[in-house]
Amino acid sequence: MGETDVERVGGTGDGALTLESLSREPLLGREYQDHPDVVHERLRRRHGAVAPVDLLGVPVWLVLGYPEALYVLQNDERWPKGMRHWRARNEGRVPADWPVAPALTARNMMARGGPDHARYRAAWDAALRPFQDPGHPQARRLRDNIRRTADELITILVRGGRSGAADLAAQFSRPLPLMVAGELLGVSGLPGDEALLDIWRILDAGPDAAEASARVLAAMGRLGEEKRNRPGEDFPSYLLAAHPRLTTEELAHELTMLMGMISDHASILITNAVVEIITGDGRARASLSAGMIREAVNHVALRKPPLANFVPRFPLKDERLGEYVIRAGEPVWIATAATHADPRFAGGASVSRAAGTRAHLSWGAGPRQCPARELSTVLTTLALERLFERFAQLELAVPEDQLPWRSSPFVRGLRALPVRYEVKAGEAVTSPDAEDAEDAEGTEERGRDGERRPQGSLMRRFLVGLVTGTIDPDAF
Ligand code: HEM
């Protein structure tokens, strides 16, 4: 899309307006948490394709229009990421303790702008390749690990009985990517439940986001140093091989980001997929029934994008977008789901008619789109395959409008996914008593090479505790 097209989709830009001079409604709040689509449509009616909003006390632009979002994403050199471009921040008008800042100032691939990006990106692509190239032994091992872990989690879950109630987020979609992250990071066992909680604290921009960020970073720094001294067949070692000049601190930032993306975003995609399959327009379920699980995952990504709002971009020069002129250095956030609801998305097809399209923005677009799309798709596909293979019935245990959505400026995900399940006929279900004693004693698991995985055992005991009611899920 060229500049003239943007001017055409835009209306009458008023050269005198700046973001700070416009009245702005607060974006985050109860209504946005439960019904972001309602907020998006109200903003679209009032402002068109781009709306001024207040993000926890700070003025930002929200892009709701699909062509406008694509234009920004595909013109990275004119709309770069990078906090140093933010004029208001440089002039001291963004509070130092703004809770969104830790996620934006992290020196990782997602947030970083500037000429260095291409070098980092090439290293990321190289380090992920063994896990994403379907024929590579590493990718095969990962797929086996995902299947095995998913089956193990389901086996623990159904210890509650052939039919019953469960929190599919706490008992399946959250631990699964976390357990798989251990293999990517090359750690025996799990990175730890506390690390996952810290990732949540950062992405939900809570008051303790900064401390959480420092803790995860320190743990990843220790891991990075270990891999530099003793490289293995894992992401940190591959990243160092592709970018040998990476300092330990830089490596720690990249690993923290990987942890965040896999343990949170991938888990959200799995949870959102289950919700969409159970409650959606029937297309995801139809694709699933036809054995087209990847198609179902694509449809879920389109309907329920885990990354709700992208890291902001800042135009280097004043640029017209939608009805407004965006001033150089003003922050512009892309609201993924809103762009998919734009009547101009997919050539005017409605979201449901555009079901098969790959043109959605859930993985980004342009030079900065997600490098781990294949890995995340495979993880979600296998998770769904195992779930729907082993359960005859999965349904929501609460009305859909009572699902507990997180309040986050970045992601759209659930705190819990309460379901009622029924195991397929012929599926073996272990009695709770037999293995609980064993778990209570802390039986150790063994990894691929027979190494001990005590942390995995901790996670296992935690999950058994959820089934037997000895652990409170809210403590997680
Ligand atoms: C379901 C899970 C995931 C979703 C929905 C997702 C989505 C996205 C999106 C939308 C972007 C573009 C953001 C932007 O343009 O500002 C992105 C970028 C990125 N993602 Fe993912 N992602 C997922 C999982 C992962 C995982 C597991 C990893 C790491 C292993 C990862 C690594 C990255 C990186 C490094 C970038 C930045 C790329 C760049 O700036 O060049 N993502 N992701």
Side-chain angles (χ1 to χ4, degrees):
M1 176 160 189
E3 195 177 350
T4 39
D5 292 326
V6 167
E7 279 174 8
R8 192 150 28 82
V9 298
T12 51
D14 180 346
L17 296 176
T18 65
L19 175 57
E20 273 132 355
S21 69
L22 291 162
S23 82
R24 306 169 299 271
E25 71 168 87
L27 182 65
L28 299 186
R30 193 58 206 243
E31 189 186 20
Y32 181 77
Q33 181 181 310
D34 293 338
H35 301 288
D37 49 331
V38 173
V39 176
H40 289 151
E41 291 322 307
R42 186 171 59 240
L43 289 170
R44 201 193 306 277
R45 276 198 308 279
R46 275 186 65 187
H47 300 281
V50 182
V53 295
D54 179 285
L55 186 57
L56 298 175
V58 170
V60 307
W61 292 105
L62 199 67
V63 181
L64 312 159
Y66 178 77
E68 290 78 9
L70 206 55
Y71 172 70
V72 168
L73 295 174
Q74 288 179 337
N75 289 283
D76 190 52
E77 66 298 339
R78 294 170 67 155
W79 296 81
K81 292 183 182 180
M83 296 286 265
R84 69 196 166 88
H85 299 297
W86 193 343
R87 204 182 55 226
R89 188 166 181 266
N90 294 340
E91 293 169 2
R93 280 177 282 122
V94 176
D97 59 352
W98 189 46
V100 186
L104 302 184
T105 48
R107 277 174 291 141
N108 62 34
M109 270 277 286
M110 184 63 103
R112 183 186 298 112
D116 275 359
H117 171 259
R119 202 154 44 98
Y120 281 95
R121 174 69 193 225
W124 261 85
D125 286 338
L128 283 175
R129 199 164 297 125
F131 297 101
Q132 301 203 102
D133 171 359
H136 197 286
Q138 195 79 295
R140 277 200 293 273
R141 271 203 297 270
L142 187 67
R143 286 198 299 273
D144 290 346
N145 183 349
I146 298 168
R147 273 196 203 94
R148 199 176 48 244
T149 310
D151 271 330
E152 187 190 352
L153 290 170
I154 296 170
T155 301
I156 295 175
L157 188 152
V158 302
R159 283 201 205 175
R162 298 201 67 82
S163 62
D167 174 356
L168 214 59
Q171 295 175 255
F172 184 75
S173 47
R174 216 171 292 144
L176 176 62
L178 190 63
M179 287 158 107
V180 172
E183 167 143 358
L184 275 170
L185 289 171
V187 294
S188 50
L190 299 172
D193 306 343
E194 194 51 39
L196 177 65
L197 271 184
D198 278 339
I199 297 287
W200 275 43
R201 290 179 182 118
I202 300 168
L203 289 175
D204 288 0
D208 41 8
E211 290 85 354
S213 187
R215 272 192 303 270
V216 178
L217 208 57
M220 292 300 143
R222 289 192 294 276
L223 176 65
E225 202 47 44
E226 208 179 296
K227 294 296 170 187
R228 192 189 299 281
N229 297 332
R230 276 191 303 144
E233 299 291 308
D234 46 54
F235 180 86
S237 309
Y238 297 151
L239 197 67
L240 278 169
H243 194 329
R245 298 222 313 271
L246 214 59
T247 66
T248 299
E249 197 194 343
E250 287 168 330
L251 180 61
H253 280 279
E254 300 306 331
L255 298 182
T256 300
M257 190 207 148
L258 178 137
M259 254 299 279
M261 297 300 285
I262 194 156
S263 61
D264 199 40
H265 292 36
S267 126
I268 292 174
L269 185 59
I270 299 170
T271 311
N272 289 1
V274 175
V275 175
E276 180 66 23
I277 288 165
I278 298 177
T279 67
D281 59 9
R283 284 172 192 266
R285 181 174 277 279
S287 299
L288 194 71
S289 310
M292 300 188 306
I293 309 185
R294 280 183 79 99
E295 192 48 49
V297 173
N298 181 55
H299 185 60
V300 171
L302 160 66
R303 297 277 300 203
K304 293 188 163 51
L307 199 57
N309 298 304
F310 293 1
V311 166
R313 269 77 176 170
F314 306 89
L316 293 181
K317 293 191 307 200
D318 293 1
E319 292 231 23
R320 185 174 301 215
L321 203 63
E323 305 288 323
Y324 294 99
V325 173
I326 314 293
R327 301 284 164 202
E330 288 181 346
V332 170
W333 294 61
I334 310 276
T336 329
T339 69
H340 297 165
D342 184 342
R344 295 166 299 164
F345 171 62
S350 66
V351 170
S352 52
R353 279 189 29 235
T357 186
R358 295 279 187 286
H360 62 72
L361 301 180
S362 301
W363 304 101
R368 309 219 39 173
Q369 63 186 289
C370 184
R373 176 179 180 160
E374 177 60 21
L375 187 148
S376 309
T377 302
V378 166
L379 174 56
T380 311
T381 304
L382 294 176
L384 295 181
E385 179 197 286
R386 298 320 302 146
L387 271 184
F388 288 92
E389 180 66 33
R390 296 187 59 187
F391 289 110
Q393 184 74 28
L394 272 179
E395 58 185 37
L396 292 187
V398 295
E400 191 187 348
D401 62 3
Q402 283 173 31
L403 284 173
W405 292 99
R406 282 159 65 183
S407 169
S408 166
F410 294 106
V411 299
R412 174 93 179 132
L414 285 169
R415 293 199 167 279
L417 177 53
V419 293
R420 270 189 300 272
Y421 68 84
E422 197 183 312
V423 175
K424 268 194 183 161
E427 273 285 327
V429 173
T430 331
S431 100
D433 303 339
E435 290 184 32
D436 287 348
E438 180 191 312
D439 284 320
E441 284 161 20
T443 315
E444 299 204 15
E445 292 167 6
R446 289 186 182 269
R448 192 160 21 96
D449 309 319
E451 78 268 37
R452 304 180 121 202
R453 299 174 64 182
Q455 292 255 41
S457 179
L458 249 187
M459 172 64 93
R460 198 158 184 272
R461 268 182 287 159
F462 169 79
L463 293 167
V464 171
L466 285 180
V467 176
T468 52
T470 52
I471 285 182
D472 171 12
D474 293 338
F476 186 48

